[in-house]
Amino acid sequence: MALYAKAAEILEKVERKQATVKTLVYDSKFQNIKQLFALVCETQKFSSILQEIIESTKLLKQTKIKMNLAKVLVYDLVIGKGLKCGGAWKALMMKHRSRLQAALARMKIKQKVSRNQDLLSSSLQQPEGDQLPRYVRVNTLKTTVEDAIDYFKREGFSYLGQAYRLDDLNLKGKSFVGDLHLSDLLVFSPKTDFHDHNLYKAGHIILQDKGLWTCLCLPAYLLNPPTGSHVLDACAAPGNKTSHLAAIMKNKGRLFAFDLDAKRLSTMSTLLLRAGVTCQQLANQDFLKVDPDGPQYKDVEYILLDPSCSGSGMVCLRDEASPSQNEQDKRRLQALAAFQLHCLNHALRFPRLQRVVYSTCSIHTEENEQVVAACLLQNPGFRLVPLLLQWPERGLAPLTKCLRASTTKTLTHGFFVALLERHTAERLEEQASETLNPVAEMSPSSPSASKDIHEVQEPISTTKDIDMAEEAKPTEENTETSGGVKKKRKKKKKDGDKEALEPKATEEQTNTSGRANRKKAKVE
C-alpha cells in the first residue's frame, strides 16, 4: 500500500504546483523509484479518464477514499497490470472491479475505440511501440564505446552498427545501434532494462534519454568544453549532465556544480563518485546568488544552464486541462519564464564566459524561444550559434538556429536547446569591414540583395558548426555490423548531408538578415 499512498501524495502536491513530478519522486526516497515514477506518470496521463470512471461509479462515496488515491488504485486495477498491494485495500477495490471495468468498457464503446490508449487525446498518445527507445550513454571516464559494445555482444545482444535514419531506432528484442548524433550513446529497444546490469552498477554506463530533463546529454555534447577548461553546471542535480561534462573534459580542468537542495546534492555526489568524476567542485548554493566576479570563477568560459521548467515535454506529464487550470498554467508559465530569463541573464554576467547552453524539457514557447529572444535583446554582446544542421526539428522562426525535439520527429521526449556565444567588439569590427567590399559591388537598386550579403557575412562560425555535425557522423570502426546497417548507406548519407548543409545554412542566414543589419548598424 505504500506505493499507492506515496503516488497519491505526489499527485496531490503536483496539483498544488509545489514541484514537478521529477523532483517529488526523486525526493521521496521511495525504495523503487522507477516503479513509483511510472505509476505517477501513467496515472496522470489517464487522469481525466480515471476521474470519469470514478465519478460515474460513485467510488469515492462508497469507499470513503480521496480522489488521487482512487486514481492510482483504479489505474492499476483496470488499466495497468493489476494491484500490487494486499490486505484491506485490495479487498475493498476488488469488490468494485466489475463496475469499474464496465464503466471503462462503456467509454470505449462510446468513443468507438478498442484500446485503452486510444481513449487519450492525440497529444498524449506515444509513438508506435508505446515507448521511446532506451538510450544508454557509455561513460568514457571508465570504459570505451567499443568495449561496451563488445560486452553487450557477449551477452547475446545484436549490434546493428551506426544508425543513419530515425527508422533505424525502431528496435526490437536484443538489437541495438549507435545513436545518429552522439558517438557515446547506444540505443536499445524500449523495454530493455539495465538497472540491475553490472555495467550500470559499476558506473560504466549511464541510463538516460537523449532529451529527458533528469539526465540531459545533448546540451553537454553541444557545449563541448575543451579539456582543461573551467565549466559551470548551474542547476546540476541529479548529476548526469555533470558526469557527461566531466567525460567530455576528460576529468581535466574545473567543473563547478550548484544545486539548492542539499539532499539532491548528496545523492549527486554518490553518482559522480560511481561515475569516476574527480574534477568537480560541488556547492549547496542558489546559482542566482553566485557572484560572477568571484575570484574562483574568473576563468569560467562555459556554462550549462538547465533551469526549473514546466516539464511539458515529458510525454507522461501532458494532460487535458479545464479552462481554469489553463489560466493557472498561463500564470505559472509567466513566472517560470521570468525566472528562466533571470538565470540566463545571470549566466551571461560571468566576465570570461564564451558560451552558454540553455535547455529546458518544455514544449512551451514562453519558456523557450521567448526567453532566448528577450535575453538576446538585453545582451547584444551575445548571439545564437546554429546547432546540428541535420537535426530534423528546429526552433520556431525566427530562432531556427535552436533545436526542438518531440516523440514523433526525434524519438525522444520534448525539449529545447539554444547555444549563445559571446560576440566581442573586435570580432564585430572585423566582420563589418569584411562586408564593405561585397556590398560596394552590389547594385544600389537592390536592397534585398544587400541584406543577403550582410547576412552571409554575419559571423556564424560556419566551419565550427559543420565540424560539430561531422563529429556526430559515424567512424569507420562503427560501421562494422553483424547483419545491420550497411557501409553503402553511410556513403549515400554522407553525400546527402554535404548537399543538404549548404542550402540549409544559406536559408537560415537569409531568414535572419534583419538581425544582421541591425548588428552592423550598431557597429558602424
Side-chain angles (χ1 to χ4, degrees), residues 380-383 423-436 454 457-459 514-524:
F382 286 83
R383 53 91 178 189
H423 222 172
T424 63
E426 294 80 5
R427 182 64 177 152
L428 280 170
E429 291 175 3
E430 179 186 335
Q431 292 294 328
S433 64
E434 289 175 0
T435 63
L436 292 180
H454 284 175
Q457 294 299 328
E458 183 188 5
R515 292 198 302 278
N517 272 330
R518 289 196 293 274
K519 291 177 182 175
K520 181 176 181 298
K522 279 190 178 181
V523 174
E524 294 174 347

Side-chain angles (χ1 to χ4, degrees), residues 4-14 16 24 68-69:
Y4 298 103
K6 183 58 68 175
E9 178 187 329
I10 289 172
L11 288 172
E12 187 80 23
K13 291 179 178 179
V14 169
R16 294 200 298 264
L24 293 168
N68 284 320
L69 180 57

Side-chain angles (χ1 to χ4, degrees), residues 120 224 263 302 461:
L120 299 171
N224 195 27
K263 291 181 180 178
Y302 301 88
S461 298

